Amino acid sequence: DAGVTQSPTHLIKTRGQQVTLRCSPKSGHDTVSWYQQALGQGPQFIFQYYEEEERQRGNFPDRFSGHQFPNYSSELNVNALLLGDSALYLCASSLETGSNEQFFGPGTRLTVL
Amino acid sequence: KQEVTQIPAALSVPEGENLVLNCSFTDSAIYNLQWFRQDPGKGLTSLLLIQSSQREQTSGRLNASLDKSSGRSTLYIAASQPGDSATYLCAVRPGANNLFFGTGTRLTVIP
């Protein structure tokens, strides 16, 4: 049973560029959440997708957008990259019914130069 | 606004010692609380989840307790091993959706 997978593992971009990160949820899960983790900090909630709709959003600007596909996989897009966007981006999946326990992927390390 | 605090920020113990990690949260209206482990540069591994109606959960050498009314949770690790060295994160769920995380406790178990 495959867990949550994310791609790519590492990414280096320059300021002003755009980036797309990808996530495949754990088998059987229908909900995907994205988090940003700066160095030495706890993860911060970006947004959550369920039934291909953004259901809830944290305190992040509109430069951060996402999408969920019919197979429940998800993308996170960040436009006009800033140096401060450098972080580990974590994807978590869960099942809408039941305990809603979230399972995390290995993350994508984004470096903005 | 929900805030989660973890004390201490870092902890070093000799192998074999029992230890307790602390987590406090400001808003007691939570759906559940989850403890995670994170190795350097890696993702999060879920250790234990406690529903708001529960007082504790156990898994092997780990025991997590929840006192929702006082806004506190503890993670007890028995007979610590060098492989337990990692950062431990506490997260609360205020509703059915997102998690609020603390900044973690970095644990080092010395052989």
Side-chain angles (χ1 to χ4, degrees):
Chain A
D1 177 23
V4 180
T5 61
Q6 293 185 242
S7 64
T9 305
H10 295 89
L11 206 51
I12 299 175
K13 293 285 187 178
T14 57
R15 282 178 296 174
Q17 284 190 310
Q18 178 264 343
V19 68
T20 297
L21 311 181
R22 295 175 176 82
C23 171
S24 291
K26 182 177 169 69
S27 178
H29 283 183
D30 55 10
T31 303
V32 173
S33 304
W34 287 92
Y35 293 81
Q36 179 195 66
Q37 186 178 25
L39 202 61
Q41 301 296 315
Q44 299 288 319
F45 174 71
I46 302 175
F47 43 53
Q48 184 180 81
Y49 277 85
Y50 172 67
E51 293 187 336
E52 302 179 52
E53 297 285 334
E54 183 184 294
R55 178 161 65 175
Q56 188 174 5
R57 188 179 185 92
N59 188 27
F60 280 80
D62 292 344
R63 297 188 298 109
F64 290 77
S65 63
H67 188 78
Q68 185 179 34
F69 299 94
N71 67 353
Y72 307 118
S73 67
S74 177
E75 288 182 349
L76 164 66
N77 301 292
V78 187
N79 295 322
L81 285 167
L82 304 173
L83 296 179
D85 295 331
S86 295
L88 181 67
Y89 288 85
L90 296 163
C91 168
S93 74
S94 57
L95 187 59
E96 174 66 7
T97 56
S99 69
N100 299 119
E101 183 175 3
Q102 294 198 357
F103 293 84
F104 282 75
T108 294
R109 171 70 63 187
L110 172 64
T111 301
V112 182
L113 302 177
Chain B
K1 180 191 172 187
Q2 180 70 267
E3 291 184 5
V4 181
T5 303
Q6 291 187 247
I7 295 173
L11 181 64
S12 288
V13 300
E15 181 177 2
E17 196 163 289
N18 303 325
L19 59 101
V20 175
L21 306 180
N22 296 294
C23 171
S24 62
F25 46 95
T26 54
D27 188 343
S28 62
I30 63 169
Y31 187 73
N32 59 38
L33 181 146
Q34 221 171 327
W35 281 93
F36 294 89
R37 169 191 172 131
Q38 186 174 33
D39 293 291
K42 305 295 185 183
L44 277 61
T45 300
S46 179
L47 298 173
L48 290 165
L49 179 145
I50 310 177
Q51 300 291 355
S52 61
S53 59
Q54 298 176 320
R55 293 296 297 234
E56 65 177 324
Q57 282 286 335
T58 298
S59 176
R61 294 183 295 110
L62 305 180
N63 175 277
S65 68
L66 173 63
D67 184 342
K68 204 173 74 156
S69 61
S70 68
R72 294 180 183 178
S73 176
T74 61
L75 178 66
Y76 174 82
I77 302 177
S80 58
Q81 303 170 357
D84 294 332
S85 298
T87 295
Y88 290 80
L89 292 156
C90 163
V92 298
R93 183 190 304 275
N97 300 327
N98 63 296
L99 294 173
F100 279 92
F101 282 86
T103 53
T105 293
R106 189 173 69 253
L107 173 66
T108 303
V109 180
I110 304 166

